[in-house]
Amino acid sequence: MLTLPILRKMLLNAAVELKANSTYLCELDSVAGDGDHGITIGRMADVMKTMTEEDQPNTMHDLLDELGDAFMGINGGSAGPLWGTIFSGMAEGIEDQAELTELEFRKMFVQAKEDFMDISKAQVGDKTMVDALYPALDTAIAAHGTLKEIMDAAAAAAVQGAESTSQLVAKFGRAKNMGERSLGTKDPGAVSIAILFSAMAQAV
């Protein structure tokens, strides 16, 4: 179902799309945050591009694990540690096998969500990246079908979740201080997650 070459292709496309949208993400973040979310995402995209274009790491587990470690060390707010936790969790959920079955693919996302929930108290509806992340992960965990069908469904859930944040009042971070004034704009963290899943799905 999922192999290392396909995973590299998915992540490379995600790196390209995230980098291309870095200015837009900064614009979204400037409404209620520091305006640097896109810069941080751009740095992670650069790391992702470099690591997916090289021959090493040579297993899916090691690639995801090393990406997670690399993201953890990126400066620029909470995005690095949060994304690092997601990718490290995905690695934790799989072994060094050359191909993931549908069941193993689901376990990868189950572990990613469990690890993320250990470090974040945010819930869907709080206007954070969780509004796109949890629907995407839950959809991937519950869905059946081909890799393309599962990723398309997860991407659609992420996009819908990101879109919904424009109707929410922020409950975390600097945006929380805006109260009702945070209505009408999308959360940049949720949008970046939507771009990630959409780009991965497009690459399959």
Side-chain angles (χ1 to χ4, degrees):
M1 185 183 188
L2 179 65
T3 62
L4 179 60
I6 295 174
L7 178 61
R8 287 189 185 281
K9 182 179 179 183
M10 292 166 66
L11 294 174
L12 178 58
N13 196 53
V16 171
E17 290 300 316
L18 288 166
K19 188 72 172 182
N21 283 277
S22 59
T23 299
Y24 170 56
L25 293 171
C26 282
E27 291 171 354
L28 285 178
D29 192 38
S30 66
V31 175
D34 296 330
D36 62 351
H37 181 69
I39 296 173
T40 305
I41 293 296
R43 291 171 182 160
M44 290 194 286
D46 289 339
V47 170
M48 194 182 300
K49 184 174 186 294
T50 298
M51 292 184 65
T52 52
E53 287 181 329
E54 296 176 353
D55 292 333
Q56 302 289 334
N58 56 15
T59 70
M60 288 184 282
H61 173 276
D62 289 351
L63 174 58
L64 293 169
D65 192 45
E66 291 189 25
L67 277 172
D69 286 345
F71 292 162
M72 290 281 192
I74 291 178
N75 294 326
S78 62
L82 292 173
W83 280 54
T85 299
I86 296 168
F87 277 78
S88 294
M90 290 167 66
E92 186 181 349
I94 63 176
E95 303 294 336
D96 279 337
Q97 61 263 50
E99 181 175 279
L100 299 184
T101 65
E102 184 178 308
L103 176 60
E104 292 162 341
F105 187 66
R106 287 201 295 271
K107 286 170 62 178
M108 178 177 74
F109 289 119
V110 167
Q111 191 63 55
K113 184 176 180 181
E114 288 182 358
D115 284 10
F116 192 89
M117 290 176 70
D118 284 341
I119 67 164
S120 175
K121 297 185 182 301
Q123 301 292 324
V124 171
D126 288 342
K127 199 181 180 98
T128 69
M129 65 184 288
V130 162
D131 287 293
L133 178 64
Y134 285 1
L137 294 177
D138 289 343
T139 298
I141 292 166
H144 295 278
T146 64
L147 177 62
K148 177 64 173 173
E149 290 168 341
I150 293 173
M151 288 305 302
D152 279 347
V159 170
Q160 183 177 0
E163 291 289 336
S164 74
T165 60
S166 65
Q167 306 302 316
L168 300 173
V169 174
K171 298 179 181 179
F172 277 83
R174 180 172 292 187
K176 177 182 178 180
N177 299 325
M178 293 187 66
E180 296 290 332
R181 290 177 295 155
S182 63
L183 285 167
T185 59
K186 298 178 201 174
D187 178 73
V191 172
S192 61
I193 290 293
I195 293 170
L196 170 69
F197 276 87
S198 296
M200 289 195 298
Q202 291 165 3
V204 177

